[in-house]
Amino acid sequence: MKSLLKKFADVLTKTRAQRDQERIERLRSIFTSIPEGRELIELAEKSGCKIAFNHSLSDTEAGHLHFDDRAVYLNPKADDTYLIETLAHALRHLWQLCVIDRTRTGIYAIPYVFIYKRVIEGDAVIFAANFMEKLASNSQEKLDLPKTFSDFQKSLLADKYDEQTLVM
């Protein structure tokens, strides 16, 4: 009951921007509890990539990396577990942009572009799954994190990716 009263009091006394910032900080704290998370947050900071909530995202989208804005936009309506997975996925795309894309030159044939994009997306999916599995085994937080990769697939990826995408 006290928790509910505190949430109600926060709604009355804090602005949405303040509540958003506190939640982002809590997500960052959980995210950086493992080395991979710290490395990705450092990369985001070095490259000027901000992490923010976007209240206009649809209910079906947890968030995304916006390359032009150099920002990861998260949906505040999503639960923390899903947001952490989305942050891992999006920041992996930032890593790809900073590290892998430097090696790209010239225009590719259309079949190669499709394969390249699938590999890039597959890498981000697998990275996020491994990240969440490691976070689940190391986290002090009481998050509803899946304990194994297959649990992760069932809980977070099943609604976003077909079975072929997951088998790489």
Side-chain angles (χ1 to χ4, degrees):
M1 184 69 163
K2 287 182 183 181
S3 175
L4 185 60
L5 290 174
K6 182 176 175 359
K7 284 183 183 180
F8 184 67
D10 283 351
V11 168
L12 294 177
T13 60
K14 294 181 180 176
T15 66
R16 180 167 81 177
Q18 289 172 318
R19 290 188 309 273
D20 284 356
Q21 188 58 39
E22 286 177 4
R23 189 170 178 207
I24 292 286
E25 289 305 316
R26 187 175 70 248
L27 292 170
R28 284 174 63 118
S29 175
I30 296 165
F31 193 82
T32 58
S33 67
I34 61 174
E36 294 86 348
R38 287 190 294 277
E39 290 171 11
L40 286 174
I41 291 294
E42 286 174 16
L43 176 65
E45 290 169 351
K46 284 179 185 175
S47 64
C49 181
K50 66 182 178 182
I51 300 166
F53 282 122
N54 181 339
H55 290 269
S56 64
L57 292 177
S58 73
D59 289 345
T60 59
E61 184 178 13
H64 62 273
L65 173 64
H66 193 282
F67 290 102
D68 294 337
D69 291 353
R70 282 283 176 146
V72 174
Y73 293 118
L74 299 172
N75 189 339
K77 295 171 259 182
D79 67 48
D80 287 357
T81 302
Y82 204 19
L83 291 178
I84 292 168
E85 181 268 336
T86 301
L87 188 58
H89 184 103
L91 289 179
R92 181 61 170 201
H93 282 311
L94 176 67
W95 177 85
Q96 292 165 342
L97 178 68
C98 293
V99 177
I100 296 173
D101 274 1
R102 288 184 187 163
T103 63
R104 279 183 28 174
T105 57
I107 298 173
Y108 296 108
I110 290 174
Y112 183 79
V113 170
F114 287 123
I115 292 168
Y116 182 76
K117 286 183 177 182
R118 187 173 178 104
V119 168
I120 291 292
E121 186 61 20
D123 173 70
V125 168
I126 298 303
F127 176 84
N130 290 330
F131 182 92
M132 294 301 284
E133 188 171 351
K134 187 169 185 178
L135 186 64
S137 64
N138 292 323
S139 181
Q140 302 295 324
E141 295 292 322
K142 294 197 185 296
L143 292 174
D144 184 24
L145 297 172
K147 298 298 181 201
T148 66
F149 180 71
S150 62
D151 289 344
F152 180 80
Q153 285 178 300
K154 292 173 194 164
S155 66
L156 297 178
L157 297 176
D159 62 326
K160 294 198 307 188
Y161 302 100
D162 62 25
E163 200 169 302
Q164 281 186 327
T165 305
L166 298 172
V167 178
M168 296 192 82

mmCIF file of all heavy atoms in Angstrom, residues 52-99:
data_model
loop_
_atom_site.group_PDB
_atom_site.id
_atom_site.type_symbol
_atom_site.label_atom_id
_atom_site.label_comp_id
_atom_site.label_asym_id
_atom_site.label_seq_id
_atom_site.Cartn_x
_atom_site.Cartn_y
_atom_site.Cartn_z
ATOM 1 N N ALA A 52 16.292 8.416 -24.136
ATOM 2 C CA ALA A 52 15.142 9.198 -23.680
ATOM 3 C C ALA A 52 13.845 8.449 -23.956
ATOM 4 O O ALA A 52 13.804 7.529 -24.782
ATOM 5 C CB ALA A 52 15.111 10.546 -24.402
ATOM 6 N N PHE A 53 12.806 8.856 -23.260
ATOM 7 C CA PHE A 53 11.480 8.311 -23.531
ATOM 8 C C PHE A 53 10.825 9.113 -24.647
ATOM 9 O O PHE A 53 11.020 10.326 -24.752
ATOM 10 C CB PHE A 53 10.592 8.368 -22.280
ATOM 11 C CG PHE A 53 10.894 7.284 -21.289
ATOM 12 C CD1 PHE A 53 11.256 7.597 -19.999
ATOM 13 C CD2 PHE A 53 10.814 5.948 -21.649
ATOM 14 C CE1 PHE A 53 11.529 6.597 -19.066
ATOM 15 C CE2 PHE A 53 11.084 4.948 -20.740
ATOM 16 C CZ PHE A 53 11.446 5.272 -19.451
ATOM 17 N N ASN A 54 10.058 8.412 -25.466
ATOM 18 C CA ASN A 54 9.249 9.040 -26.501
ATOM 19 C C ASN A 54 7.813 8.615 -26.244
ATOM 20 O O ASN A 54 7.448 7.467 -26.507
ATOM 21 C CB ASN A 54 9.719 8.604 -27.885
ATOM 22 C CG ASN A 54 8.938 9.246 -29.003
ATOM 23 O OD1 ASN A 54 7.818 9.707 -28.812
ATOM 24 N ND2 ASN A 54 9.521 9.267 -30.187
ATOM 25 N N HIS A 55 7.009 9.513 -25.751
ATOM 26 C CA HIS A 55 5.632 9.191 -25.360
ATOM 27 C C HIS A 55 4.706 8.998 -26.558
ATOM 28 O O HIS A 55 3.563 8.580 -26.382
ATOM 29 C CB HIS A 55 5.088 10.280 -24.428
ATOM 30 C CG HIS A 55 5.746 10.267 -23.090
ATOM 31 N ND1 HIS A 55 5.260 9.543 -22.033
ATOM 32 C CD2 HIS A 55 6.897 10.856 -22.645
ATOM 33 C CE1 HIS A 55 6.049 9.705 -20.987
ATOM 34 N NE2 HIS A 55 7.059 10.487 -21.338
ATOM 35 N N SER A 56 5.192 9.277 -27.759
ATOM 36 C CA SER A 56 4.336 9.106 -28.937
ATOM 37 C C SER A 56 4.524 7.758 -29.640
ATOM 38 O O SER A 56 3.872 7.491 -30.644
ATOM 39 C CB SER A 56 4.566 10.254 -29.927
ATOM 40 O OG SER A 56 5.890 10.207 -30.413
ATOM 41 N N LEU A 57 5.401 6.891 -29.112
ATOM 42 C CA LEU A 57 5.571 5.563 -29.714
ATOM 43 C C LEU A 57 4.291 4.749 -29.536
ATOM 44 O O LEU A 57 3.604 4.877 -28.526
ATOM 45 C CB LEU A 57 6.751 4.827 -29.076
ATOM 46 C CG LEU A 57 8.140 5.401 -29.350
ATOM 47 C CD1 LEU A 57 9.199 4.616 -28.583
ATOM 48 C CD2 LEU A 57 8.462 5.398 -30.825
ATOM 49 N N SER A 58 4.015 3.905 -30.507
ATOM 50 C CA SER A 58 2.811 3.068 -30.429
ATOM 51 C C SER A 58 2.968 2.021 -29.333
ATOM 52 O O SER A 58 4.082 1.718 -28.897
ATOM 53 C CB SER A 58 2.560 2.374 -31.766
ATOM 54 O OG SER A 58 3.493 1.347 -31.960
ATOM 55 N N ASP A 59 1.860 1.458 -28.915
ATOM 56 C CA ASP A 59 1.875 0.441 -27.867
ATOM 57 C C ASP A 59 2.653 -0.804 -28.263
ATOM 58 O O ASP A 59 3.087 -1.568 -27.405
ATOM 59 C CB ASP A 59 0.448 0.045 -27.482
ATOM 60 C CG ASP A 59 -0.268 1.152 -26.727
ATOM 61 O OD1 ASP A 59 0.413 2.091 -26.259
ATOM 62 O OD2 ASP A 59 -1.500 1.080 -26.617
ATOM 63 N N THR A 60 2.831 -1.027 -29.555
ATOM 64 C CA THR A 60 3.514 -2.236 -30.019
ATOM 65 C C THR A 60 5.023 -2.045 -30.168
ATOM 66 O O THR A 60 5.730 -2.986 -30.478
ATOM 67 C CB THR A 60 2.946 -2.702 -31.373
ATOM 68 O OG1 THR A 60 3.125 -1.649 -32.328
ATOM 69 C CG2 THR A 60 1.468 -3.051 -31.242
ATOM 70 N N GLU A 61 5.515 -0.839 -29.951
ATOM 71 C CA GLU A 61 6.949 -0.569 -30.119
ATOM 72 C C GLU A 61 7.575 -0.220 -28.776
ATOM 73 O O GLU A 61 7.159 0.730 -28.113
ATOM 74 C CB GLU A 61 7.146 0.596 -31.097
ATOM 75 C CG GLU A 61 8.579 0.876 -31.400
ATOM 76 C CD GLU A 61 8.770 2.004 -32.405
ATOM 77 O OE1 GLU A 61 7.817 2.737 -32.700
ATOM 78 O OE2 GLU A 61 9.903 2.138 -32.879
ATOM 79 N N ALA A 62 8.599 -0.985 -28.377
ATOM 80 C CA ALA A 62 9.281 -0.723 -27.105
ATOM 81 C C ALA A 62 10.317 0.388 -27.246
ATOM 82 O O ALA A 62 10.652 1.047 -26.282
ATOM 83 C CB ALA A 62 9.939 -1.981 -26.575
ATOM 84 N N GLY A 63 10.815 0.587 -28.456
ATOM 85 C CA GLY A 63 11.800 1.630 -28.679
ATOM 86 C C GLY A 63 12.657 1.334 -29.887
ATOM 87 O O GLY A 63 12.490 0.305 -30.542
ATOM 88 N N HIS A 64 13.572 2.254 -30.174
ATOM 89 C CA HIS A 64 14.454 2.077 -31.326
ATOM 90 C C HIS A 64 15.609 3.077 -31.265
ATOM 91 O O HIS A 64 15.541 4.071 -30.552
ATOM 92 C CB HIS A 64 13.689 2.261 -32.636
ATOM 93 C CG HIS A 64 13.105 3.639 -32.797
ATOM 94 N ND1 HIS A 64 11.865 3.960 -32.305
ATOM 95 C CD2 HIS A 64 13.602 4.766 -33.355
ATOM 96 C CE1 HIS A 64 11.615 5.231 -32.572
ATOM 97 N NE2 HIS A 64 12.648 5.750 -33.198
ATOM 98 N N LEU A 65 16.642 2.782 -32.051
ATOM 99 C CA LEU A 65 17.754 3.708 -32.232
ATOM 100 C C LEU A 65 17.409 4.593 -33.412
ATOM 101 O O LEU A 65 17.109 4.098 -34.501
ATOM 102 C CB LEU A 65 19.061 2.949 -32.499
ATOM 103 C CG LEU A 65 20.276 3.798 -32.883
ATOM 104 C CD1 LEU A 65 20.684 4.717 -31.735
ATOM 105 C CD2 LEU A 65 21.444 2.910 -33.289
ATOM 106 N N HIS A 66 17.426 5.891 -33.205
ATOM 107 C CA HIS A 66 17.189 6.844 -34.288
ATOM 108 C C HIS A 66 18.561 7.363 -34.723
ATOM 109 O O HIS A 66 19.202 8.135 -34.009
ATOM 110 C CB HIS A 66 16.292 7.985 -33.805
ATOM 111 C CG HIS A 66 15.764 8.826 -34.905
ATOM 112 N ND1 HIS A 66 16.519 9.778 -35.536
ATOM 113 C CD2 HIS A 66 14.547 8.837 -35.497
ATOM 114 C CE1 HIS A 66 15.806 10.357 -36.474
ATOM 115 N NE2 HIS A 66 14.593 9.809 -36.467
ATOM 116 N N PHE A 67 19.020 6.892 -35.887
ATOM 117 C CA PHE A 67 20.379 7.188 -36.326
ATOM 118 C C PHE A 67 20.607 8.688 -36.505
ATOM 119 O O PHE A 67 21.636 9.210 -36.103
ATOM 120 C CB PHE A 67 20.705 6.449 -37.630
ATOM 121 C CG PHE A 67 20.846 4.969 -37.454
ATOM 122 C CD1 PHE A 67 19.821 4.112 -37.821
ATOM 123 C CD2 PHE A 67 21.997 4.432 -36.917
ATOM 124 C CE1 PHE A 67 19.952 2.740 -37.649
ATOM 125 C CE2 PHE A 67 22.136 3.064 -36.742
ATOM 126 C CZ PHE A 67 21.113 2.227 -37.118
ATOM 127 N N ASP A 68 19.659 9.386 -37.124
ATOM 128 C CA ASP A 68 19.849 10.812 -37.403
ATOM 129 C C ASP A 68 19.942 11.640 -36.120
ATOM 130 O O ASP A 68 20.732 12.574 -36.036
ATOM 131 C CB ASP A 68 18.713 11.342 -38.286
ATOM 132 C CG ASP A 68 18.721 10.718 -39.671
ATOM 133 O OD1 ASP A 68 19.792 10.244 -40.111
ATOM 134 O OD2 ASP A 68 17.663 10.698 -40.324
ATOM 135 N N ASP A 69 19.126 11.313 -35.143
ATOM 136 C CA ASP A 69 19.135 12.043 -33.866
ATOM 137 C C ASP A 69 20.233 11.557 -32.923
ATOM 138 O O ASP A 69 20.460 12.182 -31.888
ATOM 139 C CB ASP A 69 17.798 11.879 -33.134
ATOM 140 C CG ASP A 69 16.660 12.595 -33.824
ATOM 141 O OD1 ASP A 69 16.914 13.332 -34.795
ATOM 142 O OD2 ASP A 69 15.505 12.415 -33.381
ATOM 143 N N ARG A 70 20.861 10.431 -33.251
ATOM 144 C CA ARG A 70 21.801 9.783 -32.332
ATOM 145 C C ARG A 70 21.140 9.629 -30.969
ATOM 146 O O ARG A 70 21.625 10.110 -29.941
ATOM 147 C CB ARG A 70 23.099 10.583 -32.193
ATOM 148 C CG ARG A 70 24.073 10.427 -33.328
ATOM 149 C CD ARG A 70 24.784 9.101 -33.220
ATOM 150 N NE ARG A 70 25.657 8.917 -34.368
ATOM 151 C CZ ARG A 70 26.799 8.296 -34.327
ATOM 152 N NH1 ARG A 70 27.210 7.763 -33.224
ATOM 153 N NH2 ARG A 70 27.519 8.152 -35.396
ATOM 154 N N ALA A 71 19.989 8.957 -30.978
ATOM 155 C CA ALA A 71 19.231 8.775 -29.741
ATOM 156 C C ALA A 71 18.561 7.415 -29.740
ATOM 157 O O ALA A 71 18.169 6.905 -30.789
ATOM 158 C CB ALA A 71 18.167 9.865 -29.610
ATOM 159 N N VAL A 72 18.455 6.834 -28.555
ATOM 160 C CA VAL A 72 17.617 5.656 -28.353
ATOM 161 C C VAL A 72 16.351 6.169 -27.706
ATOM 162 O O VAL A 72 16.393 6.776 -26.626
ATOM 163 C CB VAL A 72 18.301 4.609 -27.438
ATOM 164 C CG1 VAL A 72 17.335 3.468 -27.136
ATOM 165 C CG2 VAL A 72 19.569 4.086 -28.077
ATOM 166 N N TYR A 73 15.240 5.963 -28.394
ATOM 167 C CA TYR A 73 13.947 6.369 -27.865
ATOM 168 C C TYR A 73 13.236 5.132 -27.330
ATOM 169 O O TYR A 73 13.089 4.138 -28.040
ATOM 170 C CB TYR A 73 13.101 7.039 -28.948
ATOM 171 C CG TYR A 73 13.673 8.362 -29.386
ATOM 172 C CD1 TYR A 73 14.083 8.561 -30.700
ATOM 173 C CD2 TYR A 73 13.808 9.408 -28.479
ATOM 174 C CE1 TYR A 73 14.607 9.777 -31.101
ATOM 175 C CE2 TYR A 73 14.340 10.625 -28.884
ATOM 176 C CZ TYR A 73 14.730 10.808 -30.190
ATOM 177 O OH TYR A 73 15.254 12.013 -30.586
ATOM 178 N N LEU A 74 12.825 5.206 -26.073
ATOM 179 C CA LEU A 74 12.139 4.104 -25.411
ATOM 180 C C LEU A 74 10.689 4.485 -25.149
ATOM 181 O O LEU A 74 10.375 5.657 -24.952
ATOM 182 C CB LEU A 74 12.833 3.760 -24.089
ATOM 183 C CG LEU A 74 14.283 3.312 -24.189
ATOM 184 C CD1 LEU A 74 14.896 3.201 -22.797
ATOM 185 C CD2 LEU A 74 14.395 2.004 -24.941
ATOM 186 N N ASN A 75 9.840 3.478 -25.130
ATOM 187 C CA ASN A 75 8.424 3.683 -24.874
ATOM 188 C C ASN A 75 8.162 3.564 -23.374
ATOM 189 O O ASN A 75 8.315 2.484 -22.804
ATOM 190 C CB ASN A 75 7.598 2.650 -25.640
ATOM 191 C CG ASN A 75 6.126 2.921 -25.595
ATOM 192 O OD1 ASN A 75 5.636 3.624 -24.718
ATOM 193 N ND2 ASN A 75 5.402 2.361 -26.544
ATOM 194 N N PRO A 76 7.741 4.626 -22.719
ATOM 195 C CA PRO A 76 7.526 4.563 -21.271
ATOM 196 C C PRO A 76 6.381 3.641 -20.857
ATOM 197 O O PRO A 76 6.274 3.278 -19.687
ATOM 198 C CB PRO A 76 7.218 6.019 -20.892
ATOM 199 C CG PRO A 76 6.712 6.631 -22.143
ATOM 200 C CD PRO A 76 7.415 5.934 -23.270
ATOM 201 N N LYS A 77 5.570 3.227 -21.818
ATOM 202 C CA LYS A 77 4.458 2.312 -21.503
ATOM 203 C C LYS A 77 4.931 0.860 -21.366
ATOM 204 O O LYS A 77 4.226 0.033 -20.815
ATOM 205 C CB LYS A 77 3.364 2.408 -22.577
ATOM 206 C CG LYS A 77 2.682 3.774 -22.609
ATOM 207 C CD LYS A 77 1.772 3.903 -23.806
ATOM 208 C CE LYS A 77 2.512 4.717 -24.835
ATOM 209 N NZ LYS A 77 1.815 5.015 -26.048
ATOM 210 N N ALA A 78 6.142 0.569 -21.870
ATOM 211 C CA ALA A 78 6.669 -0.796 -21.800
ATOM 212 C C ALA A 78 7.241 -1.057 -20.402
ATOM 213 O O ALA A 78 7.648 -0.133 -19.696
ATOM 214 C CB ALA A 78 7.758 -0.995 -22.854
ATOM 215 N N ASP A 79 7.274 -2.348 -20.019
ATOM 216 C CA ASP A 79 7.832 -2.673 -18.699
ATOM 217 C C ASP A 79 9.358 -2.623 -18.743
ATOM 218 O O ASP A 79 9.978 -2.624 -19.801
ATOM 219 C CB ASP A 79 7.320 -4.022 -18.189
ATOM 220 C CG ASP A 79 7.796 -5.210 -19.001
ATOM 221 O OD1 ASP A 79 9.006 -5.297 -19.295
ATOM 222 O OD2 ASP A 79 6.977 -6.074 -19.321
ATOM 223 N N ASP A 80 9.964 -2.551 -17.558
ATOM 224 C CA ASP A 80 11.411 -2.368 -17.459
ATOM 225 C C ASP A 80 12.205 -3.479 -18.125
ATOM 226 O O ASP A 80 13.225 -3.224 -18.762
ATOM 227 C CB ASP A 80 11.830 -2.238 -15.994
ATOM 228 C CG ASP A 80 11.438 -0.894 -15.389
ATOM 229 O OD1 ASP A 80 10.888 -0.039 -16.119
ATOM 230 O OD2 ASP A 80 11.682 -0.704 -14.191
ATOM 231 N N THR A 81 11.757 -4.712 -17.997
ATOM 232 C CA THR A 81 12.473 -5.829 -18.610
ATOM 233 C C THR A 81 12.539 -5.658 -20.117
ATOM 234 O O THR A 81 13.603 -5.809 -20.734
ATOM 235 C CB THR A 81 11.794 -7.169 -18.265
ATOM 236 O OG1 THR A 81 11.765 -7.311 -16.850
ATOM 237 C CG2 THR A 81 12.554 -8.347 -18.873
ATOM 238 N N TYR A 82 11.422 -5.333 -20.709
ATOM 239 C CA TYR A 82 11.373 -5.151 -22.162
ATOM 240 C C TYR A 82 12.213 -3.946 -22.580
ATOM 241 O O TYR A 82 12.890 -3.966 -23.610
ATOM 242 C CB TYR A 82 9.923 -4.998 -22.597
ATOM 243 C CG TYR A 82 9.637 -5.369 -24.031
ATOM 244 C CD1 TYR A 82 10.491 -6.168 -24.773
ATOM 245 C CD2 TYR A 82 8.480 -4.910 -24.652
ATOM 246 C CE1 TYR A 82 10.216 -6.508 -26.075
ATOM 247 C CE2 TYR A 82 8.188 -5.243 -25.961
ATOM 248 C CZ TYR A 82 9.065 -6.037 -26.662
ATOM 249 O OH TYR A 82 8.790 -6.360 -27.970
ATOM 250 N N LEU A 83 12.213 -2.892 -21.774
ATOM 251 C CA LEU A 83 13.000 -1.705 -22.098
ATOM 252 C C LEU A 83 14.495 -1.994 -22.021
ATOM 253 O O LEU A 83 15.269 -1.500 -22.841
ATOM 254 C CB LEU A 83 12.635 -0.545 -21.180
ATOM 255 C CG LEU A 83 11.238 0.037 -21.398
ATOM 256 C CD1 LEU A 83 10.959 1.147 -20.395
ATOM 257 C CD2 LEU A 83 11.059 0.534 -22.822
ATOM 258 N N ILE A 84 14.911 -2.799 -21.055
ATOM 259 C CA ILE A 84 16.331 -3.146 -20.952
ATOM 260 C C ILE A 84 16.762 -3.980 -22.155
ATOM 261 O O ILE A 84 17.824 -3.755 -22.733
ATOM 262 C CB ILE A 84 16.621 -3.855 -19.610
ATOM 263 C CG1 ILE A 84 16.451 -2.856 -18.457
ATOM 264 C CG2 ILE A 84 18.018 -4.469 -19.609
ATOM 265 C CD1 ILE A 84 16.438 -3.490 -17.097
ATOM 266 N N GLU A 85 15.922 -4.933 -22.556
ATOM 267 C CA GLU A 85 16.224 -5.732 -23.757
ATOM 268 C C GLU A 85 16.284 -4.833 -24.986
ATOM 269 O O GLU A 85 17.171 -4.963 -25.827
ATOM 270 C CB GLU A 85 15.176 -6.830 -23.936
ATOM 271 C CG GLU A 85 15.417 -7.719 -25.144
ATOM 272 C CD GLU A 85 14.710 -7.252 -26.409
ATOM 273 O OE1 GLU A 85 13.698 -6.543 -26.318
ATOM 274 O OE2 GLU A 85 15.181 -7.612 -27.509
ATOM 275 N N THR A 86 15.357 -3.900 -25.092
ATOM 276 C CA THR A 86 15.326 -2.970 -26.223
ATOM 277 C C THR A 86 16.557 -2.080 -26.223
ATOM 278 O O THR A 86 17.147 -1.817 -27.276
ATOM 279 C CB THR A 86 14.043 -2.122 -26.178
ATOM 280 O OG1 THR A 86 12.912 -3.002 -26.225
ATOM 281 C CG2 THR A 86 13.973 -1.141 -27.327
ATOM 282 N N LEU A 87 16.963 -1.633 -25.054
ATOM 283 C CA LEU A 87 18.164 -0.805 -24.939
ATOM 284 C C LEU A 87 19.401 -1.589 -25.372
ATOM 285 O O LEU A 87 20.251 -1.062 -26.108
ATOM 286 C CB LEU A 87 18.308 -0.301 -23.501
ATOM 287 C CG LEU A 87 19.387 0.728 -23.232
ATOM 288 C CD1 LEU A 87 19.205 1.968 -24.093
ATOM 289 C CD2 LEU A 87 19.385 1.104 -21.753
ATOM 290 N N ALA A 88 19.510 -2.849 -24.951
ATOM 291 C CA ALA A 88 20.642 -3.689 -25.378
ATOM 292 C C ALA A 88 20.634 -3.844 -26.895
ATOM 293 O O ALA A 88 21.684 -3.718 -27.548
ATOM 294 C CB ALA A 88 20.580 -5.053 -24.696
ATOM 295 N N HIS A 89 19.483 -4.093 -27.467
ATOM 296 C CA HIS A 89 19.348 -4.276 -28.915
ATOM 297 C C HIS A 89 19.722 -2.981 -29.649
ATOM 298 O O HIS A 89 20.524 -2.994 -30.588
ATOM 299 C CB HIS A 89 17.912 -4.694 -29.239
ATOM 300 C CG HIS A 89 17.674 -4.992 -30.675
ATOM 301 N ND1 HIS A 89 17.582 -6.276 -31.145
ATOM 302 C CD2 HIS A 89 17.496 -4.181 -31.742
ATOM 303 C CE1 HIS A 89 17.356 -6.243 -32.454
ATOM 304 N NE2 HIS A 89 17.302 -4.986 -32.836
ATOM 305 N N ALA A 90 19.163 -1.869 -29.208
ATOM 306 C CA ALA A 90 19.401 -0.589 -29.886
ATOM 307 C C ALA A 90 20.848 -0.140 -29.755
ATOM 308 O O ALA A 90 21.448 0.343 -30.726
ATOM 309 C CB ALA A 90 18.454 0.473 -29.321
ATOM 310 N N LEU A 91 21.430 -0.316 -28.566
ATOM 311 C CA LEU A 91 22.821 0.092 -28.399
ATOM 312 C C LEU A 91 23.780 -0.834 -29.142
ATOM 313 O O LEU A 91 24.877 -0.421 -29.522
ATOM 314 C CB LEU A 91 23.185 0.201 -26.914
ATOM 315 C CG LEU A 91 22.534 1.388 -26.194
ATOM 316 C CD1 LEU A 91 22.929 1.403 -24.719
ATOM 317 C CD2 LEU A 91 22.880 2.715 -26.859
ATOM 318 N N ARG A 92 23.370 -2.071 -29.373
ATOM 319 C CA ARG A 92 24.179 -2.950 -30.228
ATOM 320 C C ARG A 92 24.185 -2.399 -31.651
ATOM 321 O O ARG A 92 25.215 -2.419 -32.327
ATOM 322 C CB ARG A 92 23.641 -4.383 -30.196
ATOM 323 C CG ARG A 92 24.449 -5.348 -31.045
ATOM 324 C CD ARG A 92 25.908 -5.446 -30.583
ATOM 325 N NE ARG A 92 26.577 -6.544 -31.252
ATOM 326 C CZ ARG A 92 27.661 -7.122 -30.812
ATOM 327 N NH1 ARG A 92 28.227 -6.718 -29.700
ATOM 328 N NH2 ARG A 92 28.196 -8.117 -31.473
ATOM 329 N N HIS A 93 23.044 -1.867 -32.101
ATOM 330 C CA HIS A 93 23.013 -1.225 -33.417
ATOM 331 C C HIS A 93 23.921 0.009 -33.444
ATOM 332 O O HIS A 93 24.581 0.274 -34.456
ATOM 333 C CB HIS A 93 21.587 -0.839 -33.817
ATOM 334 C CG HIS A 93 20.767 -1.984 -34.308
ATOM 335 N ND1 HIS A 93 21.202 -2.881 -35.262
ATOM 336 C CD2 HIS A 93 19.500 -2.369 -33.994
ATOM 337 C CE1 HIS A 93 20.260 -3.772 -35.513
ATOM 338 N NE2 HIS A 93 19.214 -3.492 -34.751
ATOM 339 N N LEU A 94 23.983 0.751 -32.354
ATOM 340 C CA LEU A 94 24.905 1.884 -32.292
ATOM 341 C C LEU A 94 26.343 1.384 -32.409
ATOM 342 O O LEU A 94 27.151 1.954 -33.136
ATOM 343 C CB LEU A 94 24.720 2.665 -30.985
ATOM 344 C CG LEU A 94 25.696 3.820 -30.771
ATOM 345 C CD1 LEU A 94 25.456 4.924 -31.798
ATOM 346 C CD2 LEU A 94 25.579 4.366 -29.356
ATOM 347 N N TRP A 95 26.665 0.310 -31.686
ATOM 348 C CA TRP A 95 27.995 -0.287 -31.783
ATOM 349 C C TRP A 95 28.291 -0.676 -33.229
ATOM 350 O O TRP A 95 29.378 -0.420 -33.745
ATOM 351 C CB TRP A 95 28.083 -1.502 -30.860
ATOM 352 C CG TRP A 95 29.396 -2.222 -30.943
ATOM 353 C CD1 TRP A 95 30.536 -1.931 -30.259
ATOM 354 C CD2 TRP A 95 29.705 -3.359 -31.768
ATOM 355 N NE1 TRP A 95 31.533 -2.822 -30.600
ATOM 356 C CE2 TRP A 95 31.047 -3.699 -31.531
ATOM 357 C CE3 TRP A 95 28.974 -4.116 -32.676
ATOM 358 C CZ2 TRP A 95 31.672 -4.757 -32.172
ATOM 359 C CZ3 TRP A 95 29.592 -5.167 -33.320
ATOM 360 C CH2 TRP A 95 30.925 -5.483 -33.064
ATOM 361 N N GLN A 96 27.306 -1.298 -33.886
ATOM 362 C CA GLN A 96 27.486 -1.687 -35.280
ATOM 363 C C GLN A 96 27.771 -0.460 -36.146
ATOM 364 O O GLN A 96 28.651 -0.493 -37.008
ATOM 365 C CB GLN A 96 26.241 -2.405 -35.801
ATOM 366 C CG GLN A 96 26.006 -3.748 -35.168
ATOM 367 C CD GLN A 96 24.600 -4.268 -35.416
ATOM 368 O OE1 GLN A 96 23.690 -3.520 -35.775
ATOM 369 N NE2 GLN A 96 24.402 -5.561 -35.193
ATOM 370 N N LEU A 97 27.030 0.602 -35.904
ATOM 371 C CA LEU A 97 27.215 1.830 -36.668
ATOM 372 C C LEU A 97 28.621 2.389 -36.459
ATOM 373 O O LEU A 97 29.273 2.811 -37.409
ATOM 374 C CB LEU A 97 26.169 2.868 -36.247
ATOM 375 C CG LEU A 97 26.238 4.224 -36.918
ATOM 376 C CD1 LEU A 97 25.876 4.091 -38.397
ATOM 377 C CD2 LEU A 97 25.301 5.202 -36.232
ATOM 378 N N CYS A 98 29.084 2.368 -35.218
ATOM 379 C CA CYS A 98 30.400 2.931 -34.898
ATOM 380 C C CYS A 98 31.557 2.032 -35.309
ATOM 381 O O CYS A 98 32.619 2.516 -35.671
ATOM 382 C CB CYS A 98 30.495 3.199 -33.397
ATOM 383 S SG CYS A 98 29.409 4.499 -32.830
ATOM 384 N N VAL A 99 31.369 0.717 -35.237
ATOM 385 C CA VAL A 99 32.477 -0.211 -35.466
ATOM 386 C C VAL A 99 32.400 -0.878 -36.833
ATOM 387 O O VAL A 99 33.321 -0.781 -37.632
ATOM 388 C CB VAL A 99 32.528 -1.284 -34.346
ATOM 389 C CG1 VAL A 99 33.620 -2.294 -34.617
ATOM 390 C CG2 VAL A 99 32.727 -0.617 -33.004
#
